[in-house]
Amino acid sequence: MPDERYEIDPFVQDAPRIANRWRADRALRQAVQRILPPDVFEKAAGELDHAAERCATEMPPLAARAEANPPRHTPYDAWGRRIDQIEIDPAWTELVRLLQGLGAVAIPYEETYGPYGRVVQAALYQMVQAVTATALCPLGMSDGAAACLRQHDAELAARYVPLLTKRVGGWTSGQWMTEKEGGSDLSRSGTVATPLGDGTWALRGTKWFTSATTADIAVALARPEGAEPGSRGLSLFALELRGPDGGWNGLRVRRLKDKYGTRGLPTAELDLDGAVAVPVGGIGGGIAKIASVLHVARMASAQAGPGATGHLLQLARDYARRRVVRGGPLSDSPLHLGWLAELAAEHEAMVQMALRSAQLVGRQESGPGDTPDATLLARVVVPLAKMVTAREAVRACSELLESFGGAGYLEDTGIPQVLRDVQVQSIWEGTTNVLALDVVRALGAPGVAAAFRDDVEARLAAHPHPRTEAAVRIVQDAAREVAAREPDPATARELAWSMARTYQAALLAAQAGWALTTLGDERTAVALEIFTARPLTIPVAHEKSRLLGLE
């Protein structure tokens, strides 16, 4: 019998609740409002509000099921026949279907929003990022493949783009580049393509990291027989994963990857043993063609950092109102709110940078941008956006886990998964160093450095307001310092980081001035003040490596 002298404490902490992100996230909503013309914003707001409601209700339970039941690979059947069956939880497949229906791929290919489709798509990406068990990944790759085919091969585009961009019953695509020999060094790719005499080619090799094993098609780099070594000898091919009989098209699954995060996503190591494929836009130019895939994929990846951070920030704000500490809600603590304010400022800087990258990609695809140098500007802004949002989000999400105390460390709350999943963004589609080197190479092209410098000045002058004048002077000083640095590969990381933070501050200044003038809202001005209180540029560190024993 229970001892009546002791009463079990009946208290249960009220858990944080997911809100409609479009309504709760003023940073995202107001940034989209500033970028879009009023009539376009009115149309987009309804679609994004609908998507946000489904993010808050339908998607989290599906994502939890998908995470609890990760993909399984069965290489052989009971009789020893090679089948390479990959079992995916139906919840994950349903998430892919829901995202397609919301236009995750379709939006920029439809006429509804014109050149602003990429911005609307980016806002959707940010809202769904943390509640879909990485089901967005194959759709981002499908988008990249569709953009690539439209740019480089009209015949293949006519065949596949309508399928990849369908909202109902759409196909998905993978992109297969990474091999164990080279990783990001694509010049060492070992997959070989042999002509079959009918316009098709047979691919043989190993793709070490493929994140779309359930896709319908894929684009893959391979070296045609007899082609020169290095990156110049590579070509881009398109292939369907299944043959006419429904079996694998010359593919063998070595294993599914056991990953730190993105556990619901079926990532595999594949052998290509005679996979039948067709060249994209003819033989040659593989690196240039795959770059168009990467450009879109990096823009999509840039939305993940603010997406994850914004999700946890909304939960942290809600939790602070529910958690009682020392006789009152945590939301009454100036210390706690000041800490959240710093993270909110970082989040808003991520939002601005990510949406700007989407805006520029949309301008590239639709015609002249908001500056004559939009295409040149995108060459540095897209990799900078992907680089800086990925790194900032890891730190911000780690701190936001702390805001939940011990509950933030418990897997069954779903909170640690957000941090694990966002960690991949600093590796996926280019590590920080790879992206920094891409930026340095881009700065060496005629007009790129000037386009970036001019756009920083244009952002600072776009919406002047007395409240932002002090911060604008800080950004101007940082911009002059960045402009004076040489684009040296040895210091690429420091240069790229300084460029990114300076550009984020310039975008915040534009948003703050607009919000003060248009809405009478000082929230972004406060975020700008917090953001510029820390140095925007960082000193060169590589010269110290020898002294630290790192060489």
Side-chain angles (χ1 to χ4, degrees):
M1 294 181 64
D3 192 332
E4 295 180 357
R5 293 174 299 172
Y6 300 97
E7 181 180 354
I8 296 176
D9 185 356
F11 173 78
V12 176
Q13 173 61 48
D14 197 12
R17 299 172 191 175
I18 299 175
N20 178 308
R21 180 80 170 276
W22 180 248
R23 301 173 196 173
D25 193 337
R26 287 165 61 195
L28 175 61
R29 188 178 67 254
Q30 291 181 3
V32 173
Q33 185 178 359
R34 176 182 60 83
I35 295 170
L36 301 185
D39 59 327
V40 178
F41 177 76
E42 185 177 354
K43 287 190 292 186
E47 186 167 2
L48 291 172
D49 183 68
H50 170 71
E53 195 62 27
R54 302 186 79 175
C55 288
T57 55
E58 293 179 60
M59 294 184 189
L62 292 170
R65 274 178 46 198
E67 283 287 315
N69 300 285
R72 293 189 303 167
H73 171 221
T74 303
Y76 299 96
D77 69 9
W79 304 97
R81 182 169 60 94
R82 186 75 186 242
I83 56 172
D84 283 323
Q85 179 178 329
I86 298 177
E87 297 178 51
I88 307 294
D89 191 279
W92 194 84
T93 306
E94 176 65 11
L95 285 167
V96 173
R97 188 193 68 79
L98 281 173
L99 290 169
Q100 286 176 321
L102 292 173
V105 181
I107 287 173
Y109 299 89
E110 298 169 339
E111 298 180 358
T112 307
Y113 303 111
Y116 300 99
R118 287 291 181 192
V119 175
V120 179
Q121 178 195 42
L124 173 66
Y125 274 26
Q126 290 192 30
M127 295 191 301
V128 306
Q129 168 63 34
V131 294
T132 54
T134 330
L136 193 60
C137 177
L139 300 179
M141 289 188 286
S142 302
D143 186 2
C148 173
L149 295 179
R150 287 212 309 180
Q151 182 175 346
H152 296 291
D153 196 310
E155 183 178 346
L156 289 177
R159 185 190 312 175
Y160 291 122
V161 171
L163 294 170
L164 294 171
T165 58
K166 287 177 65 176
R167 288 192 181 231
V168 179
W171 283 23
T172 58
S173 174
Q175 55 191 59
W176 298 349
M177 297 173 289
T178 307
E179 300 186 8
K180 56 187 176 182
E181 293 88 353
S184 62
D185 182 4
L186 299 178
S187 67
R188 298 180 63 192
S189 296
T191 300
V192 175
T194 304
L196 296 177
D198 59 355
T200 64
W201 295 65
L203 307 187
R204 289 180 172 81
T206 299
K207 296 299 182 181
W208 189 77
F209 208 95
T210 66
S211 288
T213 320
T214 58
D216 300 281
I217 67 169
V219 290
L221 286 175
R223 193 181 310 279
E225 284 185 338
E228 63 181 298
S231 59
R232 292 185 178 182
L234 294 173
S235 292
L236 185 65
F237 293 84
L239 67 149
E240 296 188 14
L241 272 66
R242 300 281 178 174
D245 63 352
W248 289 108
N249 172 20
L251 303 176
R252 286 198 304 270
V253 181
R254 285 193 171 194
R255 56 178 171 168
L256 292 180
K257 298 293 191 179
D258 185 7
K259 297 165 292 178
Y260 170 65
T262 67
R263 294 174 181 172
L265 178 67
T267 306
E269 186 173 335
L270 297 179
D271 283 333
L272 283 64
D273 188 9
V276 178
V278 293
V280 175
I283 293 298
I287 294 297
K289 293 169 186 173
I290 203 69
S292 59
V293 181
L294 290 175
H295 193 57
V296 171
R298 285 175 172 178
M299 180 277 296
S301 179
Q303 314 309 318
T309 305
H311 174 77
L312 288 184
L313 187 61
Q314 181 265 309
L315 289 180
R317 291 172 59 205
D318 184 74
Y319 186 67
R321 292 189 287 266
R322 301 175 187 278
R323 178 63 175 168
V324 175
V325 177
R326 295 182 177 87
L330 191 55
S331 58
D332 285 350
S333 165
L335 178 64
H336 187 73
L337 292 183
W339 174 38
L340 290 184
E342 292 185 12
L343 296 172
E346 290 287 330
H347 168 247
E348 183 148 6
M350 287 185 241
V351 168
Q352 294 293 331
M353 190 73 164
L355 291 180
R356 180 61 171 159
S357 72
Q359 182 184 23
L360 289 171
V361 170
R363 297 288 187 180
Q364 282 183 285
E365 294 173 337
S366 302
D370 54 358
T371 73
D373 301 313
T375 298
L376 296 176
L377 186 59
R379 292 186 60 183
V380 288
V381 171
V382 171
L384 285 175
K386 192 272 180 187
M387 179 197 77
V388 75
T389 57
R391 295 307 318 163
E392 288 173 337
V394 170
R395 185 188 73 82
C397 288
S398 176
E399 293 221 21
L400 284 164
L401 256 66
E402 186 179 341
S403 73
F404 301 97
Y409 201 64
L410 300 180
E411 289 287 358
D412 55 0
T413 65
I415 295 170
Q417 178 199 329
V418 180
L419 175 60
R420 287 190 284 104
D421 287 353
V422 82
Q423 179 70 63
V424 78
Q425 302 302 331
S426 60
I427 300 170
W428 164 251
E429 304 300 11
T431 63
T432 303
N433 285 352
V434 167
L435 293 164
L437 289 170
D438 283 353
V439 169
V440 166
R441 282 190 288 270
L443 291 172
V448 172
F452 181 79
R453 182 181 63 249
D454 292 346
D455 199 60
V456 170
E457 294 176 1
R459 297 311 108 199
L460 292 174
H463 299 282
H465 192 279
R467 175 69 185 272
T468 65
E469 287 178 355
V472 165
R473 287 193 292 271
I474 293 172
V475 183
Q476 289 171 332
D477 289 343
R480 283 191 287 269
E481 181 184 339
V482 168
R485 296 192 184 187
E486 291 294 325
D488 182 351
T491 58
R493 191 180 180 104
E494 294 92 339
L495 174 60
W497 190 260
S498 299
M499 289 175 65
R501 297 284 289 184
T502 300
Y503 196 64
Q504 283 180 299
L507 293 169
L508 278 175
Q511 180 72 30
W514 175 86
L516 286 163
T517 303
T518 307
L519 306 176
D521 190 335
E522 65 175 352
R523 182 190 47 78
T524 306
V526 174
L528 173 65
E529 291 162 359
I530 294 172
F531 192 82
T532 53
R534 295 181 178 178
L536 298 177
T537 61
I538 58 173
V540 172
H542 84 284
E543 296 172 355
K544 307 291 186 182
S545 60
R546 180 178 56 80
L547 298 177
L548 291 172
L550 299 176
E551 295 182 354

